[in-house]
Amino acid sequence: MENSLKGLILAAGTIITCVVISLGFFISREAKETAANGANQINKLNSEFVESDKIIYDGAMVSGSEVVNVIKKMKTDEVGILVVTNKSSNYYGYEFDTSSGDLIKKTASDYEEACVSTNKKYINPYANFQGKVIRDQNDVITGIMFTQ
């Protein structure tokens, strides 16, 4: 009887050990999936936060003075700004392809040219402009287009 009791205790111990190990693997797999989902959400929020200073102009109506401020603020960024007025179209920062979003070349235009009323690049501070964000094939913001 002692041998059969020891055998039952050994069998029960083995079953309990297998259940605990299986439970450990299950919990670790679920934790890995949860951590991966959390990391993906953090990356998504981070990219939205990084782009927040540009994305606010997508579809927004802004004044000409705000357009000039955007040009001044983003002059060091690797982003192009296209301003289409009733007189002309001018790139600031970088020229970009409006359909593909690809950056073409750095421009020599400066925001100060947009402030001189006799210049053909003049941006009327009281005019209204419709903003549009331009993205490249990698979904990176490469340009902002303001149309009067």
Side-chain angles (χ1 to χ4, degrees):
M1 176 123 162
E2 260 184 50
N3 287 339
S4 63
L5 186 60
K6 285 183 180 181
L8 286 174
I9 291 174
L10 182 63
T14 304
I15 291 173
I16 291 173
T17 303
C18 289
V19 168
V20 168
I21 290 173
S22 298
L23 194 59
F25 280 122
F26 175 76
I27 290 172
S28 69
R29 186 174 50 242
E30 289 295 316
K32 183 178 178 183
E33 290 175 13
T34 303
N37 288 339
N40 288 339
Q41 287 179 349
I42 287 172
N43 288 338
K44 184 178 177 183
L45 287 172
N46 189 31
S47 67
E48 287 176 5
F49 179 72
V50 167
E51 295 179 342
S52 67
D53 61 336
K54 298 172 190 87
I55 200 79
I56 60 172
Y57 299 108
D58 196 23
M61 288 294 288
V62 296
S63 68
S65 62
E66 180 64 20
V67 172
V68 173
N69 287 336
V70 171
I71 293 168
K72 186 190 313 186
K73 181 173 70 173
M74 295 190 186
K75 69 181 178 181
T76 58
D77 292 355
E78 194 169 317
V79 66
I81 298 171
L82 171 60
V83 180
V84 180
T85 64
N86 294 332
K87 277 187 170 180
S88 65
S89 297
N90 301 296
Y91 286 94
Y92 297 90
Y94 285 85
E95 286 186 28
F96 58 90
D97 185 342
T98 57
S99 58
S100 70
D102 294 335
L103 292 177
I104 299 171
K105 66 178 181 176
K106 189 155 179 62
T107 66
S109 296
D110 194 59
Y111 73 93
E112 292 170 354
E113 297 172 338
C115 298
V116 179
S117 62
T118 56
N119 194 327
K120 80 172 199 169
K121 296 180 179 183
Y122 176 66
I123 298 173
N124 183 351
Y126 303 108
N128 288 323
F129 291 83
Q130 178 77 39
K132 180 181 178 188
V133 170
I134 308 295
R135 295 179 182 269
D136 67 4
Q137 294 172 344
N138 285 333
D139 205 29
V140 175
I141 295 176
T142 56
I144 304 172
M145 184 167 68
F146 292 103
T147 307
Q148 187 173 8

